[in-house]
Amino acid sequence: KQEVTQIPAALSVPEGENLVLNCSFTDSAIYNLQWFRQDPGKGLTSLLLIQSSQREQTSGRLNASLDKSSGRSTLYIAASQPGDSATYLCAATGNTPLVFGKGTRLSVIA
Amino acid sequence: DTGVSQDPRHKITKRGQNVTFRCDPISEHNRLYWYRQTLGQGPEFLTYFQNEAQLEKSRLLSDRFSAERPKGSFSTLEIQRTEQGDSAMYLCASSSRQGATNEKLFFGSGTQLSVL
């Protein structure tokens, strides 16, 4: 059974700082890993999808990496802004539909 | 492409009542998923459809829950005899699956259910 863990559960940083969010998964037989953003009381917005054959994906200030052998993914956010404040969720899919972690709640302080 | 639409956005009901939620996926997306999310947790998978066929149901989906996707378009999720433990955000997502590795899910804004 796939299990996804995210560390830390919460993070507070000053504006402009670069930061890394961590995600680990127990079953390395994944098809892809996805990172989502969720604002309070809202649905999920897809940020990046890394296919199992890929090592990383980039979109603007976001960079996500994937290491299947170690069961880890990281989301790197450069030059953080107050608008980046949200909960970030990672999710892995393989033989089962997307399995989510509990998320990292990010606060970027101006 | 108007995105995934869910209705209603909020639902307050009394314990024991039946409720029904609707999800309209992105047009021509062949897969539709239902997830449930409680405060401080990640979304948990409930069930999914490929076109009109319900392909998988989670053990979380008790007999009080039923989902349909007639004609492979919109979907409904019904909860009968609601319990306070059913209070959660119910999220719908759709995808146009063209390969196992690049299936990207698009989520709606969710229906927040409160059972009093």
Side-chain angles (χ1 to χ4, degrees), chain A residues 30-97:
Chain A
I30 62 171
Y31 294 155
N32 67 52
L33 187 133
Q34 300 181 45
W35 283 92
F36 294 86
R37 168 183 171 140
Q38 186 173 34
D39 292 291
K42 302 292 179 63
L44 280 65
T45 300
S46 179
L47 297 174
L48 291 164
L49 181 154
I50 313 175
Q51 298 182 43
S52 58
S53 60
Q54 298 173 330
R55 298 282 293 182
E56 65 178 319
Q57 283 288 324
T58 297
S59 175
R61 295 183 293 109
L62 305 179
N63 175 276
S65 68
L66 174 64
D67 184 342
K68 277 183 55 177
S69 61
S70 66
R72 293 181 181 177
S73 176
T74 62
L75 179 67
Y76 175 83
I77 303 177
S80 58
Q81 303 171 358
D84 295 331
S85 298
T87 295
Y88 291 80
L89 295 149
C90 74
T93 185
N95 290 325
T96 59

Side-chain angles (χ1 to χ4, degrees), chain A residues 32 34 38 46 51 98, chain B residues 35 37 41-42 101 103-104:
Chain A
N32 67 52
Q34 300 181 45
Q38 186 173 34
S46 179
Q51 298 182 43
L98 275 177
Chain B
Y35 281 79
Q37 185 179 27
Q41 303 295 313
T101 62
E103 181 184 7
K104 187 174 180 180

Side-chain angles (χ1 to χ4, degrees), chain B residues 6 17 31 43 53 56 62-64 68 75 85 87 91 104 111 116:
Chain B
Q6 292 189 244
Q17 297 294 305
R31 285 201 168 188
E56 187 172 341
S62 76
D63 291 344
R64 297 184 297 105
E68 294 183 342
S75 176
S87 297
L91 293 162
K104 187 174 180 180
T111 293
L116 304 178

